[in-house]
Amino acid sequence: MPTLTLSNSSSKSYSRIHTICINTNFNSGTTSFTGTDSLVEVASGKLKITASASSAGYASRSFPTVIKTTYNFSMDFEDASTLSTIKFGTSANDDTNLNTTVSGSDPGYVTITGSFTATAETTFITIFVGRPGGVSEWDNLLI
């Protein structure tokens, strides 16, 4: 993995690893996302998460990260009918590193961007659907 070494005026050097952890448009499946209290599927080339009728639910997956490295992410939110949250943490449904809420007042198609700093060698992305029976659709995930 290539690294770029940076230095400041104190002659301390820092390495930043350039890598793409996940890059998917969901055309080939759910790309390892699994559901908890939800159905996770691909519909019309988008990741579709449907919470169970009795509770809120989520889809999550893990990916390798380097501790203390900052990662940028972007993901297209395709359906604004249900309150949804993107979380990054050390386990599924954990928001230790980042918690970003997307509400029904957002436009029906918007790209969500942000960054987080990894606190473990494995990080989880969770997409939480905040209402029983709610549906959330996503596309073009890049971390």
Side-chain angles (χ1 to χ4, degrees), residues 21 63-71 87-92 94-98 115-125 143:
C21 301
F63 57 97
T65 50
V66 177
I67 296 171
K68 295 184 181 178
T69 299
T70 299
Y71 295 86
K87 302 177 183 183
F88 288 93
T90 57
S91 62
D94 173 48
D95 62 1
T96 300
N97 299 330
L98 182 73
S115 63
F116 67 93
T117 301
T119 57
E121 292 179 351
T122 300
T123 297
F124 288 76
I125 178 174
I143 300 174

Side-chain angles (χ1 to χ4, degrees), residues 21-24 26 30-36 38 40 47 49 57-65 71-77 84-100 102 112-116 118-129 136 138-143:
C21 301
I22 303 172
N23 183 7
T24 185
F26 299 105
T30 61
T31 64
S32 302
F33 275 90
T34 57
T36 300
S38 66
V40 179
L47 181 68
I49 306 161
Y58 62 87
S60 63
R61 70 158 288 180
S62 65
F63 57 97
T65 50
Y71 295 86
N72 297 319
F73 73 91
S74 68
M75 193 169 191
D76 296 337
F77 183 51
S84 297
T85 306
I86 301 173
K87 302 177 183 183
F88 288 93
T90 57
S91 62
N93 203 27
D94 173 48
D95 62 1
T96 300
N97 299 330
L98 182 73
N99 183 338
T100 299
V102 184
I112 308 300
T113 61
S115 63
F116 67 93
T119 57
E121 292 179 351
T122 300
T123 297
F124 288 76
I125 178 174
T126 299
I127 302 170
F128 183 82
V129 179
S136 186
W138 298 84
D139 204 2
N140 302 317
L141 171 62
L142 177 63
I143 300 174

Side-chain angles (χ1 to χ4, degrees), residues 37 51-56 132-133:
D37 293 326
S52 73
S54 59
S55 69

